[in-house]
Amino acid sequence: MAFNGQQLDDGIVDEEDETPSKLPRCNKEMPGDFGSDHQNEAAAAAGRAASERRTSNSSARHRKDSVKKTRPPFPWFGMDIGGTLVKLVYFEPKDITAEEEQEEVENLKSIRRYLTSNTAYGTTGIRDVHLELQDLTLCGRTGNLHFIRFPTHDLPAFLQMGRDKHFSSLHTALCATGGGAYKFESDFLTMADLELHKLDELDCLVRGVLYIDSVMSSGPLECYYFENPTDPDHCAQKPYPLENPYPLLLVNIGSGVSILAVYSENNYKRVTGTSLGGGTFLGLCCLLTGCSTFEEALEMASQGESTRVDKLVRDIYGGDYESFGNMMSKEKRESVSKEDLARATLVTITNNIGSITRMCALNENIERVVFVGNFLRVNTLSMKLLAYAMDYWSKGQLKALFLRHEASSTYRHGALGGSYATTL
């Protein structure tokens, strides 16, 4: 089990107390002593019972001490450092004893207050309060799990904050995954005096997705699909039980796209991927519309109409469509809006992902497809497009599945898996 750069064993084996138990010796017959065999046996039995109680109490104390020794010190963090966003999960303990509170150093209290009393950090850091998981049991402790994100280009500011709050006095290493864990490793060391305990990104992704589903035992199911995704009046989210998830196709849409075939928690493979993902969408939108953020690009796309940009193949033969085909006409180029261009870009990228996913599902003979990733954060448009595409191309055999925490930020599954995956 990995926590804050420490590797822990999944199980704790109680060692036997090596100190021999001292049983009371049988009374020797002395002058005036009327001891008998049954009295001696009773005394011996009483001695054995007392010894067993002492041994049991000793084992309990040993087990408790062993847990405390192997459990990493607070604070508990996990990071997924991607090409566009840094995703961070923070476990806030809620079962702190009075003794622990007295022993806490001021640095630890300061970090906890700062992270939990704010929903924004600087101008770009955000804690998604609506995603918080409360009363979660993790590594024997009860607390809340917080989800925090900020742009990767603001990582230096995060490192400076860690330095200002003397984080390295509490830990010397942090669990991290994602390409940035390698790219920025030297920055963590030089700017914040922290080493990164790097974990496999795909392994963290798989474990994080399974973990988030397993802990959502109360309330609505974590997994869902869209019914009637193209009908605004009748479109609805429907719960989907994920008790027996295998095999499943896991499609992670971030800056690029990775598609994994998952056969069990520890048995999966990367089937394929594409560089045309969220980064392509945002880059093209910035180029075509002048927008500067992902949220701005999505807002523009929600107000646009892609058919003004895309040439419908039925205009020629009848049938499908041709992305950006109308832009070959100067007249039509002059009539489209920036919102139309943003919408057409979103549709193009999303449909391409859906098409590749469908082919992978067919080749791998998998009928369950789960979409995750930063591209789907606050992006209901793409989720409904994927839902329609999966249903249409598979003739109703495939459903595009999503996760409730994914709708806004289960792209943090990599961070979740990075610090807590082995608790699955």
Side-chain angles (χ1 to χ4, degrees), residues 75-303:
W76 292 352
F77 283 103
M79 298 184 73
D80 179 3
I81 310 173
T84 305
L85 280 180
V86 175
K87 289 77 68 177
L88 183 146
V89 289
Y90 166 63
F91 180 78
E92 175 199 9
K94 304 298 288 186
D95 57 353
I96 297 176
T97 64
E99 180 183 1
E100 286 177 321
E101 191 169 1
Q102 288 181 348
E103 293 176 352
E104 275 190 349
V105 295
E106 188 56 39
N107 289 348
L108 180 57
K109 294 179 181 178
S110 173
I111 289 172
R112 185 165 64 243
R113 283 196 301 265
Y114 177 73
L115 292 177
T116 59
S117 62
N118 294 290
T119 57
Y121 313 93
T123 57
T124 58
I126 296 173
R127 177 165 64 92
D128 290 311
V129 179
H130 63 288
L131 295 174
E132 180 181 330
L133 295 177
Q134 297 184 339
D135 299 323
L136 190 71
T137 299
L138 199 60
C139 200
R141 299 301 298 257
T142 300
N144 300 338
L145 200 60
H146 299 275
F147 297 84
I148 299 169
R149 57 183 163 89
F150 58 89
T152 304
H153 61 71
D154 284 337
L155 185 61
F158 170 80
L159 295 177
Q160 184 60 49
M161 181 202 73
R163 187 181 187 90
D164 294 343
K165 292 188 175 297
H166 307 288
F167 189 88
S168 61
S169 67
L170 303 170
H171 287 300
T172 58
L174 276 179
C175 282
T177 188
Y182 295 87
K183 181 178 180 180
F184 301 108
E185 184 175 15
S186 61
D187 293 336
F188 274 84
L189 192 59
T190 57
M191 295 181 66
D193 197 23
L194 288 169
E195 293 182 1
L196 292 182
H197 181 64
K198 299 184 292 294
L199 298 165
D200 182 80
E201 184 174 5
L202 297 183
D203 188 51
C204 291
L205 174 67
V206 172
R207 290 174 175 268
V209 169
L210 297 175
Y211 177 77
I212 201 75
D213 181 69
S214 69
V215 298
M216 297 297 290
S217 57
S218 60
L221 292 177
E222 176 71 12
C223 190
Y224 69 94
Y225 66 94
F226 283 99
E227 189 175 76
N228 304 315
T230 59
D231 186 344
D233 296 326
H234 299 93
C235 180
Q237 292 183 13
K238 297 291 183 179
Y240 186 93
L242 205 61
E243 296 96 346
N244 300 303
Y246 311 114
L248 66 85
L249 208 63
L250 185 58
V251 185
N252 184 33
I253 315 174
S255 297
V257 181
S258 286
I259 301 178
L260 284 69
V262 183
Y263 301 100
S264 72
E265 179 184 327
N266 299 307
N267 181 16
Y268 63 87
K269 65 178 181 179
R270 186 178 187 273
V271 179
T272 188
T274 173
S275 61
L276 305 182
T280 310
F281 164 68
L282 180 56
L284 287 176
C285 279
C286 290
L287 184 66
L288 294 171
T289 71
C291 69
S292 57
T293 68
F294 184 71
E295 289 79 6
E296 187 181 354
L298 284 179
E299 177 61 26
M300 295 177 73
S302 69
Q303 300 174 15

